[in-house]
Amino acid sequence: MLIDKEFKIAEIDKRIYGSFIEHLGRAVYGGIYEPGHSTADENGFRQDVIELVKELQVPIVRYPGGNMVSAYNWEDGVGPRENRPKRLELAWRVTETNEMGTNEFMDWAKAANTDVMMAINLGTRGIDAARNLIEYCNHPGGTYWSDLRREHGYENPHNIKTWCLGNEMDGPWQVGHKTANEYGRIAAETAKALRLVDPSIELVSCGSSNSNMPTFPEWEATTLDHTYEHVDYISLHQYYGNRNNDTANYLAKSLDMDNFIKTVISTCDYIKAKKRSKKTINLSFDEWNVWFHSNEQDKQIEPWTVAPPQLEDVYTFEDALLVGSMLNTMLKHSDRVKVACMAQLVNVIAPIMTENGGGAWKQTIFYPYYYTSVYGRGTALNPIVQSPKYDSKDFTDVPYLDTSVVYNEKKDELVIFAVNRHLENDLHVNIDVRSFEGFEVVEHVVLENEDAKATNTLENEQVKPHSNGQSYKEVGKVVGILPKFSWNMIRLQKQKINK
Ligand code: AHR
């Protein structure tokens, strides 16, 4: 493997380490918000959860959905709590109490030191509700909606910068599902209206719900034909699972993600060429993760209850490795992927779990997310990698070594993230780093476990990293061992010379 300072992919947009909180299951109620909890502050925000979110250094959180947003009336969630209506929430067939809404979420985001990516309802609603919401959130005052915000106790505008034009509108399950032409028209007109209220915002047009949708990638081409000059990003969503218990094939699924990203880039650039446009549309991978463990148990949930335990996947060790590779994939495309949201953040397919009235803990997937978010800042580099390969049920030529590299110039730090997909053999790596003179290995973190299905609970953290990885600096190179079936972070820093 060869790493060179000059082989730059791009400056990494920190928003690729974003996440997502939907009004779904116990993400909000029992997750970030639980008045009466022993750690709750005066707003009802669980401080144990906030501490874990801060540890992850999550730069942006998408809100309030997800499927939920497509039938959401944002007005239900503002103003005095005692006047807020309880509603049937149609996407997940639960009761929404509206105790949390836009303003409270902005307060939570501030406390968690993160920004908000706001999604608007283009399912049951449209331009009017959207322009009122942005006037409420971003206009300083002196008009009906902005003054209402001030009456509600928020003198200063929230100044939300990133907005999603609906959610998964290609999906037949979506309330208010649309054809590509229907969506393209409403999205373009809504984008125009939002920008008239606040020209400084950035907008995300809905891409396909996943790469297996029958309308992919025609959906992207048709909708972008309408929205191209009005938006900045197109969204991608993708979840994977190990349904057939075929670990070698499962670990290769990041190759599918890579292919998905490449196809969306090509489609954006095709519309750019067709329109003779000077503008480039970037990608917002605003839902990604593993999601399959909870599918059966969710069928047992009683409809119309408040905050039931939906989508509570308990993640395994092998899930953490795939998550590590998905993050590598995002970094390798950081020239075009500018926003990405691990879906979701707390309790719902999440790195952080809580018990109502009890503790909070880290799932297995917390760890690759944590290290990549904290140490994956700076410039993504393009390493030249030679790796032995394997074939699996759905993939050919899968490299055993999956890696991404980040150079943080400010910190004089070089960080190598690597997954060894081999289930039985260690990988001996020999990394040419001759352009990083004076750099030494300061840390080699390893996430490994004999049991692919090992999980973490509040009482028993079976999957956690250690720093006993074996990597050494020799003249011009790093030699090291990536243990079989493991995720690794090798961190090098320039040594200061004492004169
Ligand atoms: O994240 C869970 C759900 O997955 C979201 O609500 C939806 O957008 C996607 O299908």
Side-chain angles (χ1 to χ4, degrees):
M1 177 163 154
L2 166 69
I3 300 173
D4 193 291
K5 258 188 195 151
E6 300 307 320
F7 299 174
K8 292 180 182 162
I9 299 173
E11 272 304 297
I12 298 158
D13 189 321
K14 66 175 182 179
R15 294 176 300 172
I16 70 167
Y17 304 118
S19 191
F20 177 29
I21 289 279
E22 178 169 3
H23 280 249
L24 195 189
R26 298 190 306 121
V28 172
Y29 307 112
I32 62 171
Y33 173 79
E34 194 180 340
H37 188 272
S38 59
T39 72
D41 66 6
E42 65 286 3
N43 294 315
F45 301 152
R46 284 183 65 151
Q47 297 303 302
D48 55 348
V49 172
I50 286 194
E51 283 316 308
L52 290 169
V53 175
K54 281 187 176 165
E55 196 177 325
L56 287 168
Q57 296 186 17
V58 180
I60 193 163
V61 181
R62 187 166 173 252
Y63 176 85
N67 295 336
M68 172 270 187
V69 81
S70 294
Y72 179 53
N73 296 336
W74 68 266
E75 303 88 338
D76 292 346
V78 296
R81 277 206 171 104
E82 60 277 16
N83 299 339
R84 296 187 193 175
K86 284 196 175 68
R87 296 269 188 204
L88 292 184
E89 195 292 288
L90 301 186
W92 304 101
R93 307 196 69 236
V94 295
T95 299
E96 171 59 56
T97 63
N98 284 304
E99 259 179 84
M100 275 279 284
T102 303
N103 293 320
E104 292 83 18
F105 192 72
M106 297 309 298
D107 288 339
W108 178 83
K110 202 167 169 192
N113 198 18
T114 189
D115 285 336
V116 173
M117 179 182 196
M118 184 65 81
I120 58 164
N121 174 356
L122 285 187
T124 58
R125 307 188 80 186
I127 305 169
D128 205 39
R131 63 141 181 172
N132 295 342
L133 174 59
I134 197 169
E135 181 183 320
Y136 183 90
C137 289
N138 284 14
H139 195 69
T143 63
Y144 178 77
W145 292 106
S146 57
D147 284 345
L148 190 62
R149 181 199 70 241
R150 292 163 74 194
E151 255 174 55
H152 291 162
Y154 294 82
E155 182 60 29
N156 295 320
H158 296 311
N159 286 329
I160 300 167
K161 184 181 168 202
T162 319
W163 294 75
C164 300
L165 294 160
N167 177 71
E168 295 190 350
M169 300 306 302
D170 63 323
W173 59 86
Q174 204 69 213
V175 179
H177 159 62
K178 294 185 169 41
T179 65
N181 277 309
E182 285 168 349
Y183 173 71
R185 287 286 303 126
I186 186 84
E189 291 306 314
T190 308
K192 265 166 56 186
L194 293 176
R195 270 199 218 285
L196 285 168
V197 179
D198 183 350
S200 72
I201 58 171
E202 291 198 328
L203 289 163
V204 185
S205 190
C206 271
S208 294
S209 302
N210 59 71
S211 57
N212 296 324
M213 293 300 288
T215 45
F216 174 73
E218 183 56 42
W219 171 274
E220 279 71 6
T222 306
T223 57
L224 280 175
D225 229 344
H226 294 285
T227 61
Y228 201 90
E229 294 301 338
H230 303 288
V231 303
D232 305 281
Y233 308 97
I234 186 153
S235 72
L236 296 83
H237 291 179
Q238 192 75 46
Y239 297 96
Y240 295 114
N242 189 5
R243 291 192 175 78
N244 303 318
N245 199 16
D246 176 348
T247 300
N249 193 53
Y250 180 53
L251 295 184
K253 292 198 178 197
S254 59
L255 270 63
D256 180 77
M257 183 187 209
D258 183 68
N259 210 26
F260 184 22
I261 291 173
K262 285 178 181 150
T263 310
V264 175
I265 291 172
S266 311
T267 312
C268 292
D269 293 349
Y270 157 67
I271 298 297
K272 177 179 183 172
K274 188 177 159 191
K275 290 187 174 294
R276 308 313 188 239
S277 177
K278 289 201 167 23
K279 175 179 175 184
T280 299
I281 297 286
N282 284 320
L283 276 51
S284 170
F285 213 124
D286 47 43
E287 286 188 32
W288 69 270
N289 204 347
V290 168
W291 173 16
F292 75 109
H293 296 286
S294 59
N295 292 168
E296 285 310 307
Q297 78 207 30
D298 281 348
K299 292 180 188 152
Q300 315 302 322
I301 286 180
E302 189 66 29
W304 314 126
T305 49
V306 176
Q310 290 168 307
L311 279 64
E312 297 205 358
D313 275 43
V314 176
Y315 289 115
T316 61
F317 169 64
E318 65 182 8
D319 297 331
L321 296 198
L322 179 61
V323 161
S325 284
M326 292 173 88
L327 287 158
N328 284 344
T329 308
M330 228 85 80
L331 281 169
K332 285 184 262 193
H333 286 289
S334 52
D335 54 334
R336 295 298 288 271
V337 178
K338 298 295 174 187
V339 185
C341 304
M342 176 187 259
Q344 299 193 8
L345 187 54
V346 186
N347 289 331
V348 172
I349 42 174
I352 300 168
M353 292 299 289
T354 69
E355 266 177 4
N356 290 351
W361 69 99
K362 298 169 180 174
Q363 293 237 53
T364 64
I365 61 169
F366 184 97
Y367 291 106
Y369 182 30
Y370 162 75
Y371 284 104
T372 319
S373 171
V374 172
Y375 295 102
R377 312 267 173 139
T379 305
L381 299 180
N382 191 10
I384 310 296
V385 182
Q386 281 168 333
S387 164
K389 294 181 174 155
Y390 68 97
D391 292 343
S392 70
K393 185 175 148 286
D394 300 320
F395 304 93
T396 45
D397 286 338
V398 182
Y400 283 113
L401 171 59
D402 174 58
T403 187
S404 65
V405 179
V406 175
Y407 174 38
N408 188 326
E409 219 165 331
K410 276 193 209 134
K411 287 164 70 183
D412 262 336
E413 188 169 270
L414 178 67
V415 187
I416 301 160
F417 300 104
V419 173
N420 177 2
R421 291 187 175 111
H422 207 299
L423 305 182
E424 273 121 38
N425 295 344
D426 295 351
L427 271 174
H428 292 256
V429 288
N430 187 324
I431 311 169
D432 185 329
V433 288
R434 78 187 90 161
S435 66
F436 290 92
E437 216 180 306
F439 281 62
E440 294 292 336
V441 175
V442 291
E443 191 180 26
H444 180 168
V445 177
V446 184
L447 194 64
E448 60 183 331
N449 204 292
E450 285 297 324
D451 179 5
K453 309 298 178 195
T455 57
N456 290 346
T457 61
L458 179 59
E459 294 79 24
N460 186 9
E461 190 173 50
Q462 294 188 80
V463 180
K464 59 178 169 214
H466 65 77
S467 290
N468 301 325
Q470 297 179 46
S471 298
Y472 309 96
K473 182 74 193 314
E474 292 182 358
V475 182
K477 63 182 182 181
V478 175
V479 289
I481 298 174
L482 308 178
K484 67 176 182 181
F485 196 31
S486 66
W487 175 93
N488 300 259
M489 180 188 76
I490 303 171
R491 202 155 59 84
L492 289 88
Q493 268 179 353
K494 187 160 185 163
Q495 300 304 295
K496 298 202 173 44
I497 301 162
N498 296 322
K499 289 196 178 157

